[in-house]
Amino acid sequence: MAYLQKLTGAQPLKLRDFDPEFDAGLDKETGEEKLEKLSAELTRQQELLYAAGTHSLLIVLQGRDTSGKDGTIKTVMGPLNSLGCQVASFKVPTAEELAHDFLWRIHQQTPGKGEITIFNRSHYEDVLVVRVHKLVADKVWRARYDHINAFEKLLADAGTIILKFYLHISKDEQEQRLLEREQDATKYWKLSAGDWKERTYWNDYTRAYEDALNRCSTPHAPWFVVPANKKWFRNLAVAETIVSALRPYEKQWREKLEVIGQREKAAIEEFKHSKVTQK
Ligand code: ADP
């Protein structure tokens, strides 16, 4: 069952129409059981993707502070083989990065064939935080939606499967999570006065997110709004969406693998035969 709606840009959305508490009527235990099965399937899919070497998978994670980007990566992508899976985190750009176009640092981190890369924050920061805090002139960030769409089309044309997730939490849930961090010494490392400050820009971020989701949802690089107040449902919904998106590719990856296997077997036979005739 699909838990998330695939946004392709046809219908403009308002975030208030998405309930951050949504859980598809499941309970936590059932959700975790389903996640376990999906994780096993995703692991098998990664092996196929890696072995076939024809496609890459790019997962973009965006969300407000405390929305659970780190938790999603740990739970959903944690079980994957680190050999073909990387996380790229995008922080405040360095001087060198700022001296280039905004996609320069992003392009370097995109996955090669057979690989999976998870973007923890992404090029979308350049139309989110940059817009909210007026870090560049209006006309500069406004032009970026087209740049992003062209960039993602380029990646898709080169065989990249792109899935973009906005982790949607409510303002109350964020407050709860920020307060919890202050009570729990094991979470002190996550404390940041900046998070409370960013919270005061809540509505500006809502507008910026809505524009990004509406302007940059395409059939080849769709956005998904993930109800994220319940962490277990957030993990389940992201895992289910990834697994479902990869299923249609499995047949062609297996066929490719078969071709590779037959070719190598023929080469081995030829080698063995030449050894025999040399004797
Ligand atoms: P995180 O919150 O992702 O766990 P940090 O606390 O280090 O990690 O936050 C990274 C910060 O970098 C965020 O505040 C984010 O808005 C900021 N950032 C990322 N990309 C850009 C950008 N292109 N321009 C300005 N700030 C950015």
mmCIF file of all heavy atoms in Angstrom, residues 215-254:
data_model
loop_
_atom_site.group_PDB
_atom_site.id
_atom_site.type_symbol
_atom_site.label_atom_id
_atom_site.label_comp_id
_atom_site.label_asym_id
_atom_site.label_seq_id
_atom_site.Cartn_x
_atom_site.Cartn_y
_atom_site.Cartn_z
ATOM 1 N N ARG A 215 7.015 24.028 -7.283
ATOM 2 C CA ARG A 215 7.759 24.364 -8.509
ATOM 3 C C ARG A 215 8.740 23.274 -8.933
ATOM 4 O O ARG A 215 9.154 23.247 -10.091
ATOM 5 C CB ARG A 215 8.491 25.694 -8.321
ATOM 6 C CG ARG A 215 7.496 26.819 -8.024
ATOM 7 C CD ARG A 215 7.981 28.149 -8.444
ATOM 8 N NE ARG A 215 8.512 28.177 -9.795
ATOM 9 C CZ ARG A 215 9.139 29.205 -10.319
ATOM 10 N NH1 ARG A 215 9.320 30.290 -9.606
ATOM 11 N NH2 ARG A 215 9.597 29.168 -11.551
ATOM 12 N N CYS A 216 9.122 22.424 -8.004
ATOM 13 C CA CYS A 216 10.158 21.426 -8.339
ATOM 14 C C CYS A 216 9.685 19.990 -8.151
ATOM 15 O O CYS A 216 10.482 19.102 -7.853
ATOM 16 C CB CYS A 216 11.423 21.690 -7.531
ATOM 17 S SG CYS A 216 12.113 23.325 -7.820
ATOM 18 N N SER A 217 8.393 19.762 -8.289
ATOM 19 C CA SER A 217 7.891 18.381 -8.335
ATOM 20 C C SER A 217 7.713 18.022 -9.793
ATOM 21 O O SER A 217 6.938 18.669 -10.505
ATOM 22 C CB SER A 217 6.536 18.275 -7.629
ATOM 23 O OG SER A 217 6.704 18.356 -6.241
ATOM 24 N N THR A 218 8.415 17.012 -10.228
ATOM 25 C CA THR A 218 8.335 16.598 -11.639
ATOM 26 C C THR A 218 8.191 15.086 -11.682
ATOM 27 O O THR A 218 8.529 14.408 -10.708
ATOM 28 C CB THR A 218 9.627 17.009 -12.396
ATOM 29 O OG1 THR A 218 10.749 16.459 -11.696
ATOM 30 C CG2 THR A 218 9.783 18.512 -12.494
ATOM 31 N N PRO A 219 7.716 14.537 -12.787
ATOM 32 C CA PRO A 219 7.587 13.080 -12.849
ATOM 33 C C PRO A 219 8.920 12.363 -12.614
ATOM 34 O O PRO A 219 8.944 11.291 -12.022
ATOM 35 C CB PRO A 219 7.070 12.826 -14.269
ATOM 36 C CG PRO A 219 6.396 14.101 -14.646
ATOM 37 C CD PRO A 219 7.180 15.197 -13.973
ATOM 38 N N HIS A 220 10.028 12.955 -13.054
ATOM 39 C CA HIS A 220 11.318 12.279 -12.897
ATOM 40 C C HIS A 220 12.007 12.621 -11.572
ATOM 41 O O HIS A 220 13.030 12.024 -11.243
ATOM 42 C CB HIS A 220 12.249 12.611 -14.072
ATOM 43 C CG HIS A 220 12.415 14.088 -14.263
ATOM 44 N ND1 HIS A 220 11.568 14.816 -15.052
ATOM 45 C CD2 HIS A 220 13.293 14.952 -13.730
ATOM 46 C CE1 HIS A 220 11.937 16.078 -15.008
ATOM 47 N NE2 HIS A 220 12.965 16.194 -14.207
ATOM 48 N N ALA A 221 11.475 13.593 -10.836
ATOM 49 C CA ALA A 221 12.072 13.935 -9.532
ATOM 50 C C ALA A 221 10.959 14.407 -8.594
ATOM 51 O O ALA A 221 10.907 15.571 -8.207
ATOM 52 C CB ALA A 221 13.144 15.015 -9.696
ATOM 53 N N PRO A 222 10.079 13.478 -8.211
ATOM 54 C CA PRO A 222 8.916 13.873 -7.406
ATOM 55 C C PRO A 222 9.263 14.179 -5.950
ATOM 56 O O PRO A 222 10.225 13.643 -5.412
ATOM 57 C CB PRO A 222 8.023 12.623 -7.473
ATOM 58 C CG PRO A 222 8.968 11.495 -7.679
ATOM 59 C CD PRO A 222 10.103 12.032 -8.502
ATOM 60 N N TRP A 223 8.460 15.048 -5.363
ATOM 61 C CA TRP A 223 8.512 15.282 -3.911
ATOM 62 C C TRP A 223 7.434 14.427 -3.258
ATOM 63 O O TRP A 223 6.376 14.167 -3.857
ATOM 64 C CB TRP A 223 8.192 16.743 -3.589
ATOM 65 C CG TRP A 223 9.367 17.661 -3.591
ATOM 66 C CD1 TRP A 223 9.674 18.592 -4.547
ATOM 67 C CD2 TRP A 223 10.381 17.776 -2.578
ATOM 68 N NE1 TRP A 223 10.822 19.255 -4.200
ATOM 69 C CE2 TRP A 223 11.277 18.779 -3.003
ATOM 70 C CE3 TRP A 223 10.631 17.116 -1.374
ATOM 71 C CZ2 TRP A 223 12.387 19.153 -2.256
ATOM 72 C CZ3 TRP A 223 11.740 17.476 -0.629
ATOM 73 C CH2 TRP A 223 12.611 18.478 -1.061
ATOM 74 N N PHE A 224 7.690 14.054 -2.015
ATOM 75 C CA PHE A 224 6.694 13.375 -1.184
ATOM 76 C C PHE A 224 6.635 14.125 0.147
ATOM 77 O O PHE A 224 7.690 14.417 0.730
ATOM 78 C CB PHE A 224 7.097 11.921 -0.912
ATOM 79 C CG PHE A 224 7.176 11.073 -2.154
ATOM 80 C CD1 PHE A 224 8.346 11.025 -2.910
ATOM 81 C CD2 PHE A 224 6.076 10.328 -2.582
ATOM 82 C CE1 PHE A 224 8.425 10.254 -4.058
ATOM 83 C CE2 PHE A 224 6.144 9.553 -3.735
ATOM 84 C CZ PHE A 224 7.317 9.512 -4.478
ATOM 85 N N VAL A 225 5.430 14.437 0.607
ATOM 86 C CA VAL A 225 5.276 15.050 1.930
ATOM 87 C C VAL A 225 5.076 13.909 2.932
ATOM 88 O O VAL A 225 4.137 13.125 2.798
ATOM 89 C CB VAL A 225 4.067 16.014 1.962
ATOM 90 C CG1 VAL A 225 3.889 16.584 3.366
ATOM 91 C CG2 VAL A 225 4.244 17.138 0.940
ATOM 92 N N VAL A 226 5.986 13.824 3.897
ATOM 93 C CA VAL A 226 5.958 12.696 4.842
ATOM 94 C C VAL A 226 5.402 13.155 6.188
ATOM 95 O O VAL A 226 6.018 13.982 6.859
ATOM 96 C CB VAL A 226 7.396 12.158 5.080
ATOM 97 C CG1 VAL A 226 7.361 10.919 5.969
ATOM 98 C CG2 VAL A 226 8.098 11.883 3.769
ATOM 99 N N PRO A 227 4.238 12.616 6.593
ATOM 100 C CA PRO A 227 3.751 12.944 7.933
ATOM 101 C C PRO A 227 4.789 12.460 8.943
ATOM 102 O O PRO A 227 5.083 11.256 8.981
ATOM 103 C CB PRO A 227 2.445 12.147 8.046
ATOM 104 C CG PRO A 227 2.065 11.827 6.636
ATOM 105 C CD PRO A 227 3.355 11.689 5.892
ATOM 106 N N ALA A 228 5.352 13.369 9.740
ATOM 107 C CA ALA A 228 6.548 12.983 10.503
ATOM 108 C C ALA A 228 6.432 13.210 12.011
ATOM 109 O O ALA A 228 7.424 13.125 12.721
ATOM 110 C CB ALA A 228 7.770 13.726 9.940
ATOM 111 N N ASN A 229 5.209 13.481 12.492
ATOM 112 C CA ASN A 229 5.063 13.618 13.951
ATOM 113 C C ASN A 229 5.320 12.292 14.656
ATOM 114 O O ASN A 229 5.848 12.260 15.755
ATOM 115 C CB ASN A 229 3.669 14.114 14.320
ATOM 116 C CG ASN A 229 3.584 15.635 14.293
ATOM 117 O OD1 ASN A 229 4.483 16.299 13.793
ATOM 118 N ND2 ASN A 229 2.502 16.175 14.822
ATOM 119 N N LYS A 230 4.914 11.197 13.984
ATOM 120 C CA LYS A 230 5.175 9.864 14.546
ATOM 121 C C LYS A 230 6.389 9.290 13.828
ATOM 122 O O LYS A 230 6.328 9.019 12.622
ATOM 123 C CB LYS A 230 3.951 8.959 14.341
ATOM 124 C CG LYS A 230 2.759 9.443 15.151
ATOM 125 C CD LYS A 230 1.538 8.598 14.941
ATOM 126 C CE LYS A 230 0.398 9.205 15.758
ATOM 127 N NZ LYS A 230 -0.916 8.728 15.350
ATOM 128 N N LYS A 231 7.430 9.100 14.598
ATOM 129 C CA LYS A 231 8.695 8.700 13.968
ATOM 130 C C LYS A 231 8.575 7.348 13.270
ATOM 131 O O LYS A 231 9.137 7.149 12.193
ATOM 132 C CB LYS A 231 9.805 8.658 15.024
ATOM 133 C CG LYS A 231 10.119 10.038 15.587
ATOM 134 C CD LYS A 231 11.133 9.974 16.712
ATOM 135 C CE LYS A 231 11.288 11.368 17.324
ATOM 136 N NZ LYS A 231 12.139 11.369 18.509
ATOM 137 N N TRP A 232 7.877 6.407 13.906
ATOM 138 C CA TRP A 232 7.766 5.073 13.301
ATOM 139 C C TRP A 232 7.023 5.144 11.966
ATOM 140 O O TRP A 232 7.377 4.439 11.021
ATOM 141 C CB TRP A 232 7.081 4.080 14.262
ATOM 142 C CG TRP A 232 5.657 4.423 14.611
ATOM 143 C CD1 TRP A 232 5.239 5.128 15.701
ATOM 144 C CD2 TRP A 232 4.486 4.105 13.860
ATOM 145 N NE1 TRP A 232 3.871 5.279 15.670
ATOM 146 C CE2 TRP A 232 3.374 4.649 14.561
ATOM 147 C CE3 TRP A 232 4.239 3.411 12.677
ATOM 148 C CZ2 TRP A 232 2.062 4.533 14.102
ATOM 149 C CZ3 TRP A 232 2.923 3.292 12.225
ATOM 150 C CH2 TRP A 232 1.851 3.838 12.939
ATOM 151 N N PHE A 233 6.009 6.030 11.865
ATOM 152 C CA PHE A 233 5.273 6.119 10.593
ATOM 153 C C PHE A 233 6.137 6.811 9.532
ATOM 154 O O PHE A 233 6.146 6.408 8.367
ATOM 155 C CB PHE A 233 3.938 6.852 10.751
ATOM 156 C CG PHE A 233 3.169 6.865 9.453
ATOM 157 C CD1 PHE A 233 2.531 5.718 9.006
ATOM 158 C CD2 PHE A 233 3.167 7.999 8.635
ATOM 159 C CE1 PHE A 233 1.877 5.696 7.778
ATOM 160 C CE2 PHE A 233 2.524 7.985 7.405
ATOM 161 C CZ PHE A 233 1.867 6.831 6.980
ATOM 162 N N ARG A 234 6.852 7.838 9.958
ATOM 163 C CA ARG A 234 7.782 8.528 9.038
ATOM 164 C C ARG A 234 8.734 7.511 8.408
ATOM 165 O O ARG A 234 8.896 7.472 7.184
ATOM 166 C CB ARG A 234 8.555 9.571 9.858
ATOM 167 C CG ARG A 234 9.690 10.236 9.143
ATOM 168 C CD ARG A 234 10.663 10.825 10.149
ATOM 169 N NE ARG A 234 11.483 9.803 10.767
ATOM 170 C CZ ARG A 234 12.105 9.923 11.937
ATOM 171 N NH1 ARG A 234 11.983 11.025 12.657
ATOM 172 N NH2 ARG A 234 12.860 8.953 12.400
ATOM 173 N N ASN A 235 9.336 6.662 9.235
ATOM 174 C CA ASN A 235 10.289 5.667 8.715
ATOM 175 C C ASN A 235 9.616 4.689 7.759
ATOM 176 O O ASN A 235 10.142 4.371 6.694
ATOM 177 C CB ASN A 235 10.918 4.883 9.872
ATOM 178 C CG ASN A 235 11.774 5.773 10.746
ATOM 179 O OD1 ASN A 235 12.259 6.811 10.299
ATOM 180 N ND2 ASN A 235 11.963 5.374 11.987
ATOM 181 N N LEU A 236 8.446 4.228 8.154
ATOM 182 C CA LEU A 236 7.703 3.274 7.329
ATOM 183 C C LEU A 236 7.354 3.896 5.973
ATOM 184 O O LEU A 236 7.551 3.273 4.919
ATOM 185 C CB LEU A 236 6.423 2.852 8.064
ATOM 186 C CG LEU A 236 5.449 1.983 7.269
ATOM 187 C CD1 LEU A 236 6.071 0.629 6.955
ATOM 188 C CD2 LEU A 236 4.134 1.796 8.046
ATOM 189 N N ALA A 237 6.833 5.118 6.005
ATOM 190 C CA ALA A 237 6.383 5.771 4.768
ATOM 191 C C ALA A 237 7.552 6.015 3.806
ATOM 192 O O ALA A 237 7.432 5.799 2.595
ATOM 193 C CB ALA A 237 5.680 7.090 5.104
ATOM 194 N N VAL A 238 8.693 6.423 4.356
ATOM 195 C CA VAL A 238 9.861 6.666 3.490
ATOM 196 C C VAL A 238 10.348 5.335 2.902
ATOM 197 O O VAL A 238 10.573 5.230 1.686
ATOM 198 C CB VAL A 238 10.992 7.383 4.272
ATOM 199 C CG1 VAL A 238 12.282 7.429 3.459
ATOM 200 C CG2 VAL A 238 10.562 8.804 4.648
ATOM 201 N N ALA A 239 10.449 4.326 3.754
ATOM 202 C CA ALA A 239 10.932 3.012 3.270
ATOM 203 C C ALA A 239 9.989 2.465 2.193
ATOM 204 O O ALA A 239 10.437 1.987 1.147
ATOM 205 C CB ALA A 239 11.046 2.026 4.434
ATOM 206 N N GLU A 240 8.698 2.543 2.454
ATOM 207 C CA GLU A 240 7.731 1.987 1.506
ATOM 208 C C GLU A 240 7.819 2.702 0.158
ATOM 209 O O GLU A 240 7.731 2.082 -0.904
ATOM 210 C CB GLU A 240 6.315 2.101 2.093
ATOM 211 C CG GLU A 240 5.269 1.248 1.422
ATOM 212 C CD GLU A 240 4.742 1.825 0.120
ATOM 213 O OE1 GLU A 240 4.722 3.069 -0.025
ATOM 214 O OE2 GLU A 240 4.371 1.037 -0.768
ATOM 215 N N THR A 241 7.995 4.010 0.213
ATOM 216 C CA THR A 241 8.049 4.804 -1.022
ATOM 217 C C THR A 241 9.294 4.442 -1.846
ATOM 218 O O THR A 241 9.222 4.307 -3.072
ATOM 219 C CB THR A 241 8.031 6.309 -0.678
ATOM 220 O OG1 THR A 241 6.885 6.562 0.137
ATOM 221 C CG2 THR A 241 7.968 7.172 -1.925
ATOM 222 N N ILE A 242 10.404 4.268 -1.160
ATOM 223 C CA ILE A 242 11.642 3.921 -1.881
ATOM 224 C C ILE A 242 11.511 2.521 -2.506
ATOM 225 O O ILE A 242 11.786 2.331 -3.697
ATOM 226 C CB ILE A 242 12.874 3.969 -0.938
ATOM 227 C CG1 ILE A 242 13.073 5.373 -0.377
ATOM 228 C CG2 ILE A 242 14.132 3.522 -1.679
ATOM 229 C CD1 ILE A 242 14.102 5.460 0.741
ATOM 230 N N VAL A 243 11.072 1.574 -1.707
ATOM 231 C CA VAL A 243 10.959 0.189 -2.198
ATOM 232 C C VAL A 243 10.001 0.130 -3.394
ATOM 233 O O VAL A 243 10.311 -0.490 -4.419
ATOM 234 C CB VAL A 243 10.506 -0.756 -1.054
ATOM 235 C CG1 VAL A 243 10.112 -2.123 -1.598
ATOM 236 C CG2 VAL A 243 11.622 -0.898 -0.019
ATOM 237 N N SER A 244 8.863 0.808 -3.280
ATOM 238 C CA SER A 244 7.895 0.788 -4.397
ATOM 239 C C SER A 244 8.471 1.440 -5.652
ATOM 240 O O SER A 244 8.195 0.990 -6.762
ATOM 241 C CB SER A 244 6.626 1.553 -4.027
ATOM 242 O OG SER A 244 5.977 0.892 -3.018
ATOM 243 N N ALA A 245 9.246 2.499 -5.461
ATOM 244 C CA ALA A 245 9.815 3.184 -6.631
ATOM 245 C C ALA A 245 10.864 2.318 -7.329
ATOM 246 O O ALA A 245 11.063 2.429 -8.540
ATOM 247 C CB ALA A 245 10.436 4.519 -6.203
ATOM 248 N N LEU A 246 11.524 1.450 -6.565
ATOM 249 C CA LEU A 246 12.584 0.621 -7.162
ATOM 250 C C LEU A 246 12.054 -0.667 -7.806
ATOM 251 O O LEU A 246 12.687 -1.222 -8.702
ATOM 252 C CB LEU A 246 13.648 0.270 -6.114
ATOM 253 C CG LEU A 246 14.427 1.460 -5.528
ATOM 254 C CD1 LEU A 246 15.538 0.964 -4.616
ATOM 255 C CD2 LEU A 246 15.030 2.342 -6.631
ATOM 256 N N ARG A 247 10.883 -1.115 -7.335
ATOM 257 C CA ARG A 247 10.355 -2.399 -7.842
ATOM 258 C C ARG A 247 10.300 -2.487 -9.369
ATOM 259 O O ARG A 247 10.709 -3.496 -9.935
ATOM 260 C CB ARG A 247 8.973 -2.676 -7.258
ATOM 261 C CG ARG A 247 9.058 -3.327 -5.893
ATOM 262 C CD ARG A 247 7.692 -3.785 -5.408
ATOM 263 N NE ARG A 247 7.752 -4.036 -3.980
ATOM 264 C CZ ARG A 247 6.887 -3.562 -3.083
ATOM 265 N NH1 ARG A 247 5.870 -2.833 -3.465
ATOM 266 N NH2 ARG A 247 7.032 -3.826 -1.799
ATOM 267 N N PRO A 248 9.813 -1.436 -10.070
ATOM 268 C CA PRO A 248 9.711 -1.564 -11.533
ATOM 269 C C PRO A 248 11.061 -1.770 -12.230
ATOM 270 O O PRO A 248 11.093 -2.172 -13.387
ATOM 271 C CB PRO A 248 9.100 -0.221 -11.971
ATOM 272 C CG PRO A 248 8.504 0.358 -10.732
ATOM 273 C CD PRO A 248 9.282 -0.168 -9.581
ATOM 274 N N TYR A 249 12.159 -1.480 -11.551
ATOM 275 C CA TYR A 249 13.479 -1.623 -12.184
ATOM 276 C C TYR A 249 14.067 -3.022 -12.004
ATOM 277 O O TYR A 249 15.022 -3.389 -12.681
ATOM 278 C CB TYR A 249 14.471 -0.621 -11.585
ATOM 279 C CG TYR A 249 14.138 0.816 -11.896
ATOM 280 C CD1 TYR A 249 13.358 1.567 -11.023
ATOM 281 C CD2 TYR A 249 14.608 1.418 -13.059
ATOM 282 C CE1 TYR A 249 13.046 2.888 -11.308
ATOM 283 C CE2 TYR A 249 14.306 2.732 -13.353
ATOM 284 C CZ TYR A 249 13.517 3.462 -12.465
ATOM 285 O OH TYR A 249 13.219 4.759 -12.745
ATOM 286 N N GLU A 250 13.499 -3.776 -11.063
ATOM 287 C CA GLU A 250 14.150 -5.033 -10.676
ATOM 288 C C GLU A 250 14.346 -5.998 -11.848
ATOM 289 O O GLU A 250 15.393 -6.613 -11.990
ATOM 290 C CB GLU A 250 13.356 -5.718 -9.566
ATOM 291 C CG GLU A 250 13.545 -5.039 -8.234
ATOM 292 C CD GLU A 250 12.820 -5.760 -7.119
ATOM 293 O OE1 GLU A 250 12.704 -6.986 -7.177
ATOM 294 O OE2 GLU A 250 12.347 -5.074 -6.195
ATOM 295 N N LYS A 251 13.302 -6.088 -12.695
ATOM 296 C CA LYS A 251 13.371 -7.047 -13.810
ATOM 297 C C LYS A 251 14.566 -6.719 -14.710
ATOM 298 O O LYS A 251 15.360 -7.594 -15.035
ATOM 299 C CB LYS A 251 12.056 -6.997 -14.594
ATOM 300 C CG LYS A 251 11.932 -8.036 -15.657
ATOM 301 C CD LYS A 251 10.476 -8.168 -16.106
ATOM 302 C CE LYS A 251 10.337 -9.049 -17.323
ATOM 303 N NZ LYS A 251 10.677 -8.361 -18.574
ATOM 304 N N GLN A 252 14.683 -5.446 -15.091
ATOM 305 C CA GLN A 252 15.776 -5.099 -15.997
ATOM 306 C C GLN A 252 17.139 -5.240 -15.322
ATOM 307 O O GLN A 252 18.141 -5.571 -15.956
ATOM 308 C CB GLN A 252 15.594 -3.690 -16.593
ATOM 309 C CG GLN A 252 15.764 -2.541 -15.643
ATOM 310 C CD GLN A 252 15.406 -1.217 -16.294
ATOM 311 O OE1 GLN A 252 14.271 -0.784 -16.273
ATOM 312 N NE2 GLN A 252 16.376 -0.566 -16.896
ATOM 313 N N TRP A 253 17.210 -5.023 -14.001
ATOM 314 C CA TRP A 253 18.487 -5.214 -13.297
ATOM 315 C C TRP A 253 18.862 -6.691 -13.283
ATOM 316 O O TRP A 253 20.013 -7.049 -13.464
ATOM 317 C CB TRP A 253 18.407 -4.658 -11.873
ATOM 318 C CG TRP A 253 18.334 -3.159 -11.833
ATOM 319 C CD1 TRP A 253 18.694 -2.294 -12.834
ATOM 320 C CD2 TRP A 253 17.859 -2.346 -10.753
ATOM 321 N NE1 TRP A 253 18.471 -0.998 -12.444
ATOM 322 C CE2 TRP A 253 17.965 -0.996 -11.171
ATOM 323 C CE3 TRP A 253 17.358 -2.610 -9.479
ATOM 324 C CZ2 TRP A 253 17.589 0.074 -10.362
ATOM 325 C CZ3 TRP A 253 16.994 -1.551 -8.666
ATOM 326 C CH2 TRP A 253 17.103 -0.223 -9.096
ATOM 327 N N ARG A 254 17.865 -7.567 -13.076
ATOM 328 C CA ARG A 254 18.141 -9.010 -13.088
ATOM 329 C C ARG A 254 18.607 -9.446 -14.479
ATOM 330 O O ARG A 254 19.526 -10.244 -14.618
ATOM 331 C CB ARG A 254 16.888 -9.808 -12.723
ATOM 332 C CG ARG A 254 16.621 -9.790 -11.271
ATOM 333 C CD ARG A 254 15.908 -11.041 -10.759
ATOM 334 N NE ARG A 254 15.697 -10.871 -9.342
ATOM 335 C CZ ARG A 254 14.690 -10.165 -8.834
ATOM 336 N NH1 ARG A 254 13.805 -9.603 -9.618
ATOM 337 N NH2 ARG A 254 14.587 -10.009 -7.522
#
